[in-house]
């Protein structure tokens, strides 16, 4: 086996707290122990060869590292047992998350920079496992959609209140400049969506996937529109309805406990922020029919705000298993050819806000870390570590460009576009209309 091993001397302790009980003990003595250690070192050498280009150093449970490890690494990947070592070689997409969640793998040094470095090792077109997952993807039925939403969004409003902004906006914020605080940036995003839609008093708006209701209430309060908002998360709807009642907006906003597939009626505007990722390719034709049947052909306009890709590939396997079951981030080509074109819509504007999402996730990660003890007490350490990894990994993915955040404005093909330029003042648009 190529390479040799060297002990790791005087390293600082692992920052997030290694579960020491999981360290593989050296129970084997004599020749059997020697053979086992040679196998361990050989496997670690293979893993180091894989992650070496990312300048990440592999360290085993006995403190040793391959001699080929970088001398000045971004961080150390501390593997705490043999099963995890083998899993990281055979199926890293699943095992990295599972092992980190269980405390069988840890990172020495800041988590996000290590994940950002490792993101650069991914194949642009995905692995054979990615292609197989895409081919075998099961369409989200109505019951599947409710179950998937419940898995992620019904963890409890109190959980999300620990680390989101005051209005519980769980989508990408918009930062006019990097020093803006999260609350200001989220309000700027809500207003940016409304301005892109060129909302006018008296307009009727349908929102597919309304979260805790922040956008629907913002549209009604500040733009004088009437909103019908659909959602299948019971916890989110309860919160949104309660807030609408407190703010005396129940006459302008209706929160409907139903799936986007059951939207009925004609509206001046259609908006979906953070819902398209949960639709799935198999139901893009269904969403196209909803747009075709719900948006007024004369003067209608819409906006899709969604996590996407530059090339087709599924979401990370561990994220699909533990965080977002049934989710798929589409490419712009898939959205335009499978949703907008069949619905008779024309693309008016496309904006990529991926760096804004990386910044948003940085804020969320910092707030989540501050609430770590509360999360651990209520949900357990494995849950806390899973979400720590999910938030840091998502930040890394947006920062490196492996995922994108698209805002697409569209209107019926035969209609006059809602604006001349994206930043044109709303009053000028009204004057031309």
């Amino acid at each position: 086996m190529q390479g040799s091993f060297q002990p790791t001397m005087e390293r600082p302790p692992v920052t997030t707290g290694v579960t020491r009980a999981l360290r593989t003990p050296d129970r084997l003595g004599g020749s059997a122990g020697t053979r086992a250690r040679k196998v361990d070192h050989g496997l670690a050498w293979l893993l180091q060869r894989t992650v070496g280009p990312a300048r990440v150093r592999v360290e085993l449970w006995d403190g040793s590292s391959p001699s080929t490890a970088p001398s000045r690494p971004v961080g150390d990947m501390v593997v705490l047992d043999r099963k995890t070592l083998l899993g990281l070689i055979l199926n890293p997409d699943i095992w990295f998350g599972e092992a980190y969640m269980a405390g069988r793998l840890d990172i020495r040094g800041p988590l996000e920079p290590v994940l950002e470095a490792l993101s650069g090792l991914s194949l642009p077109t995905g692995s054979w496992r990615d292609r197989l997952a895409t081919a075998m993807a099961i369409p989200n039925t109505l019951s599947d959609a409710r179950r998937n939403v419940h898995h992620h969004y019904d963890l409890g409003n109190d959980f999300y209140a620990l680390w989101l902004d005051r209005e519980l906006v769980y989508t990408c914020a918009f930062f006019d400049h990097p020093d803006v605080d999260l609350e200001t940036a989220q309000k700027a995003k809500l207003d940016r969506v409304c301005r892109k839609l060129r909302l006018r008093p008296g307009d009727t708006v349908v929102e597919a996937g309304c979260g805790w209701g922040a956008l629907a209430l913002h549209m009604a309060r500040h733009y004088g529109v009437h909103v019908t908002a659909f959602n299948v998360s019971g916890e989110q709807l309860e919160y949104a309805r309660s807030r609408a009642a407190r703010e005396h907006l129940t006459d302008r906003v209706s929160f409907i406990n139903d799936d986007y597939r059951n939207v009925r009626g004609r509206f001046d505007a259609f908006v979906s922020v953070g819902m398209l990722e949960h639709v799935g390719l198999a139901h893009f034709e269904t969403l196209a029919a909803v747009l075709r049947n719900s948006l007024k052909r004369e003067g209608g306009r819409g906006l899709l705000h969604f996590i996407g890709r530059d090339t087709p590939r599924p979401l990370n396997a561990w994220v699909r298993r533990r965080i977002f079951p049934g989710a798929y981030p589409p490419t712009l080509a898939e959205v335009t050819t499978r949703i907008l074109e069949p619905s008779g819509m024309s693309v008016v504007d496309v904006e990529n806000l991926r760096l804004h999402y990386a910044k948003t996730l940085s804020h969320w990660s910092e707030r989540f870390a501050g609430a770590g003890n509360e999360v651990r007490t209520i949900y357990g350490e494995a849950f806390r570590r899973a979400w720590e990894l999910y938030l840091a990994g998502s930040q890394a993915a947006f920062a490196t460009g492996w995922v994108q955040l698209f805002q697409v404005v569209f209107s019926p093909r035969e209609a006059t576009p809602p604006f001349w330029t994206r930043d044109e003042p709303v009053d000028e648009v009204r004057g031309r209309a």
Side-chain angles (χ1 to χ4, degrees), residues 106-379:
D106 223 314
I107 300 298
R108 180 182 288 113
L111 180 58
E112 193 278 335
V114 173
L115 297 179
E116 187 172 323
L118 292 173
S119 295
L121 303 176
S122 300
L123 297 173
T125 56
S127 65
W128 65 268
R129 293 186 183 89
D130 291 331
R131 293 188 288 273
L132 181 63
T134 300
M136 298 182 65
I138 300 174
N140 289 324
T141 64
L142 289 171
S143 59
D144 289 336
R146 284 189 177 273
R147 182 171 59 253
N148 292 340
V149 165
H150 176 75
H151 177 92
H152 187 87
Y153 295 100
D154 286 346
L155 293 171
N157 296 336
D158 291 342
F159 167 67
Y160 289 99
L162 289 173
W163 51 278
L164 294 180
D165 65 301
R166 287 188 293 271
E167 296 198 39
L168 299 183
V169 183
Y170 189 28
T171 50
C172 174
F174 180 80
F175 295 84
D176 289 317
H177 56 83
D179 295 332
V180 169
D181 62 80
L182 182 61
E183 271 73 19
T184 301
Q186 287 293 12
K187 289 179 180 178
K189 186 274 299 295
L190 299 180
D191 203 51
R192 192 169 186 81
V193 168
C194 294
R195 292 177 64 84
K196 284 185 177 184
L197 286 169
R198 294 306 193 258
L199 297 180
R200 301 173 176 87
D203 278 348
T204 56
V205 182
V206 61
E207 183 182 7
C210 65
W212 285 275
L215 177 59
L217 296 171
H218 185 88
M219 290 189 289
R221 182 187 307 105
H222 296 288
Y223 289 82
V225 302
H226 296 272
V227 185
T228 303
F230 284 73
N231 196 344
V232 293
S233 167
E235 293 234 5
Q236 289 184 331
L237 281 171
E238 181 181 356
Y239 179 93
R241 288 168 176 165
S242 176
R243 184 179 166 191
R246 290 195 311 270
E247 299 178 11
H248 307 290
L249 290 171
T250 54
D251 60 329
R252 297 189 201 172
V253 183
S254 298
F255 290 107
I256 309 298
N257 188 349
D258 206 347
D259 192 90
Y260 73 92
R261 283 165 273 200
N262 294 323
V263 170
R264 298 292 183 270
R266 289 278 184 177
F267 301 86
D268 296 300
F270 177 99
V271 62
S272 173
V273 176
M275 190 275 291
L276 183 58
E277 304 92 315
H278 302 287
V279 170
L281 283 175
H283 288 294
F284 276 16
E285 182 179 347
T286 303
L287 181 56
V290 170
L291 291 179
R292 185 170 56 248
N293 296 327
S294 65
L295 197 58
K296 292 179 180 179
R297 304 304 297 183
E298 181 60 37
R301 59 273 189 207
L303 183 145
L304 296 172
H305 169 121
F306 61 95
I307 296 170
R309 298 270 200 193
D310 288 329
T311 57
R313 61 185 301 179
L315 205 59
N316 171 268
W318 178 79
V319 173
R320 294 199 310 272
R321 171 186 287 188
R322 294 294 184 182
I323 308 295
F324 276 122
Y328 175 80
T331 66
L332 279 174
E334 289 167 334
V335 171
T336 55
T337 59
R338 298 193 186 198
I339 299 176
L340 299 180
E341 182 182 336
S343 62
M345 301 296 163
S346 177
V347 174
V348 174
D349 181 72
V350 177
E351 187 174 20
N352 189 340
L353 299 174
R354 74 171 176 88
L355 295 181
H356 292 256
Y357 216 159
K359 186 69 174 176
T360 304
L361 282 152
S362 176
H363 280 278
W364 288 347
S365 290
E366 183 178 349
R367 290 172 175 228
F368 186 84
N373 289 336
E374 294 177 74
V375 174
R376 183 186 297 108
T377 299
I378 299 171
Y379 298 96

